[in-house]
Amino acid sequence: MPFKTFPPVVSFDQKVPKAETTLAPGNDDVDYAKNIAEAVNVQEIDTNLYMSKELWLPPGARGVFGGQIVAQALRAAYNTVPEEFHVHSLHNYFILPGNVEYPVIYQVQRLRDGRSFATRFLTATQRGKAIFVASFSFAKPGTAITLEHQADMPSVPPPETLPSEYERMVKTLENNELPPKYRDYLETRLEETMPMDYRNVYQVSEKEALSGRLPAKQTQHRWFKTRGTLDNDPRLHHCVVAYASDSAFIGTAAMANGLASRAIGMMASLDHSMWFHAPVRADEWLLYEMHSPRTSDGRGVVFGRLFRQDGTLVATTAQEGIVRLSEREQQRRLKQQQDAKDLNKDNSKL
């Protein structure tokens, strides 16, 4: 399959545009660890003031990938606390879609520096407008004897037995009867350098993806890790885990209604929260359990739990997002409702 040139990432580092990416995800020349480390990094431009080094616009998205904004904001906040402090919680609101044409400026406010905890508030802006706000709490590891309990890790197939996202897209493209628009979308995805390896436990079939219909499941499971080995900086691993935690998260709300992305007109994160419970490495397999208990009024709520392969619960997540039906799906449902009304009228005359 021929690869078209596609610049999926815009870089602001030293005001030099990043070279266009033409390498396929399977290319061994790609330094995936460096790619993801740069994706979550920021550069200092003044005291408590940082700027994005690069931004990624996913194919078909309205704005910058939300997980990247969360990760860069966390990196900026981390730069203002002592080394012995590590993030234990973060709470974010997405206000406007990020524009990849302009760098994001992260302004950190130091609210508190205590002996055990440090608190930061951050505002992310583009062209003078706030696009994102966040609060972060950092804690110093304690030495006292404490309470310990956790939820059990779900029993799912190991990641080594599941195909990667890249492998599934390659397999789908072998179908010569794919709709042109869907083929173009998959080819665009494949042209990107993918630093994360995502493996869904439930494999959406080609028929389900094209029809927009799938079995309604309130819970889905996904394995992920970086495709390269990162260094031992725990701060980097926290940022990368935050980055990946936003991927496919709000999509769980659509799946809970038995819908694939084709039936959705708009999905976007409104907020995102995380609590870190134990040491974690983003370059080792993590199981992401995602559960959506409710959708209503064009919004969905999702909760998540992240487990190491040894069963340790390392993080908990929560998110609300916009989940709106496509015009086509709305028309289909209106017709169903009208047909049901007409049928009831006919029955009442009998």
Side-chain angles (χ1 to χ4, degrees), residues 61-208:
R62 298 172 63 244
V64 176
F65 174 48
Q68 186 173 34
I69 299 296
V70 173
Q72 291 181 355
L74 176 57
R75 174 56 86 177
Y78 248 138
N79 288 344
T80 69
V81 299
E83 286 292 329
E84 63 269 23
F85 282 80
H86 296 290
V87 67
H88 72 88
S89 70
L90 58 86
H91 306 276
N92 315 306
Y93 282 96
F94 298 95
I95 301 172
L96 292 171
N99 188 336
V100 294
E101 298 299 323
Y102 303 96
V104 176
I105 305 300
Y106 299 97
Q107 174 74 58
V108 182
Q109 183 180 0
R110 305 184 186 217
L111 297 183
R112 178 176 183 264
D113 285 293
R115 288 180 296 178
S116 300
F117 291 92
T119 309
R120 298 292 184 264
F121 185 81
L122 177 146
T123 303
T125 61
Q126 281 186 316
R127 305 187 73 188
K129 292 185 178 180
I131 66 166
F132 171 91
V133 293
S135 59
F136 301 91
S137 185
F138 301 87
K140 185 188 297 185
T143 57
I145 297 175
T146 61
L147 296 174
E148 287 279 348
H149 94 280
Q150 70 156 73
D152 293 332
M153 180 179 180
S155 178
V156 300
E160 296 81 8
T161 66
L162 301 170
S164 68
E165 202 169 40
Y166 172 72
E167 291 168 337
R168 288 192 296 113
M169 287 189 289
V170 169
K171 180 67 174 177
T172 301
L173 284 169
E174 293 176 359
N175 181 357
N176 295 324
E177 298 181 0
L178 286 178
K181 188 174 181 180
Y182 188 53
R183 178 174 292 276
D184 288 343
Y185 167 77
L186 293 178
E187 289 180 348
T188 299
R189 290 283 311 278
L190 286 176
E191 287 163 4
E192 297 183 312
T193 300
M194 301 178 183
M196 301 299 301
D197 188 348
Y198 297 109
R199 305 193 179 195
N200 293 329
V201 172
Y202 178 77
Q203 305 291 315
V204 176
S205 70
E206 186 179 306
K207 180 180 179 180
E208 291 169 342

Side-chain angles (χ1 to χ4, degrees), residues 46-345:
D46 202 347
T47 303
N48 300 329
L49 197 63
Y50 300 87
M51 184 177 78
S52 57
K53 284 192 171 185
E54 62 179 54
L55 297 171
W56 175 47
L57 178 66
R62 298 172 63 244
V64 176
F65 174 48
Q68 186 173 34
I69 299 296
V70 173
Q72 291 181 355
L74 176 57
R75 174 56 86 177
Y78 248 138
N79 288 344
T80 69
V81 299
E83 286 292 329
E84 63 269 23
F85 282 80
H86 296 290
V87 67
H88 72 88
S89 70
L90 58 86
H91 306 276
N92 315 306
Y93 282 96
F94 298 95
I95 301 172
L96 292 171
N99 188 336
V100 294
E101 298 299 323
Y102 303 96
V104 176
I105 305 300
Y106 299 97
Q107 174 74 58
V108 182
Q109 183 180 0
R110 305 184 186 217
L111 297 183
R112 178 176 183 264
D113 285 293
R115 288 180 296 178
S116 300
F117 291 92
T119 309
R120 298 292 184 264
F121 185 81
L122 177 146
T123 303
T125 61
Q126 281 186 316
R127 305 187 73 188
K129 292 185 178 180
I131 66 166
F132 171 91
V133 293
S135 59
F136 301 91
S137 185
F138 301 87
K140 185 188 297 185
T143 57
I145 297 175
T146 61
L147 296 174
E148 287 279 348
H149 94 280
Q150 70 156 73
D152 293 332
M153 180 179 180
S155 178
V156 300
E160 296 81 8
T161 66
L162 301 170
S164 68
E165 202 169 40
Y166 172 72
E167 291 168 337
R168 288 192 296 113
M169 287 189 289
V170 169
K171 180 67 174 177
T172 301
L173 284 169
E174 293 176 359
N175 181 357
N176 295 324
E177 298 181 0
L178 286 178
K181 188 174 181 180
Y182 188 53
R183 178 174 292 276
D184 288 343
Y185 167 77
L186 293 178
E187 289 180 348
T188 299
R189 290 283 311 278
L190 286 176
E191 287 163 4
E192 297 183 312
T193 300
M194 301 178 183
M196 301 299 301
D197 188 348
Y198 297 109
R199 305 193 179 195
N200 293 329
V201 172
Y202 178 77
Q203 305 291 315
V204 176
S205 70
E206 186 179 306
K207 180 180 179 180
E208 291 169 342
L210 292 175
S211 69
R213 307 280 181 278
L214 46 81
K217 296 177 179 290
Q218 291 189 12
T219 301
Q220 67 165 325
H221 299 92
R222 163 185 262 202
W223 292 97
F224 73 79
K225 71 177 183 68
T226 62
R227 298 189 68 199
T229 302
L230 304 177
D231 64 32
N232 295 323
D233 176 14
R235 296 182 169 202
L236 172 60
H237 289 270
H238 285 152
C239 291
V240 175
V241 170
Y243 174 99
S245 71
D246 186 48
S247 177
F249 197 22
I250 194 60
T252 310
M255 180 176 283
N257 287 272
L259 297 178
S261 59
R262 185 178 177 85
I264 301 298
M266 179 181 176
M267 270 198 302
S269 305
L270 291 172
D271 56 33
H272 191 80
S273 295
M274 294 189 74
W275 296 264
F276 291 88
H277 314 303
V280 60
R281 289 193 66 93
D283 54 7
E284 296 178 353
W285 285 115
L286 296 170
L287 177 64
Y288 200 4
E289 180 187 53
M290 297 170 275
H291 173 77
S292 178
R294 179 70 164 148
T295 52
S296 64
D297 199 25
R299 300 187 305 277
V301 173
V302 189
F303 297 97
R305 298 187 294 187
L306 281 159
F307 295 87
R308 294 197 309 240
Q309 277 192 295
D310 66 3
T312 301
L313 177 63
V314 296
T316 302
T317 59
Q319 184 175 98
E320 185 179 39
I322 296 172
V323 185
R324 294 175 180 165
L325 296 172
S326 66
E327 289 293 333
R328 180 178 178 180
E329 181 64 18
Q330 290 183 55
Q331 291 300 320
R332 188 187 73 83
R333 294 186 176 220
L334 283 173
K335 186 177 183 305
Q336 282 184 336
Q337 291 176 6
Q338 187 59 51
D339 289 346
K341 288 181 180 179
D342 292 343
L343 182 61
N344 288 333
K345 286 181 180 178

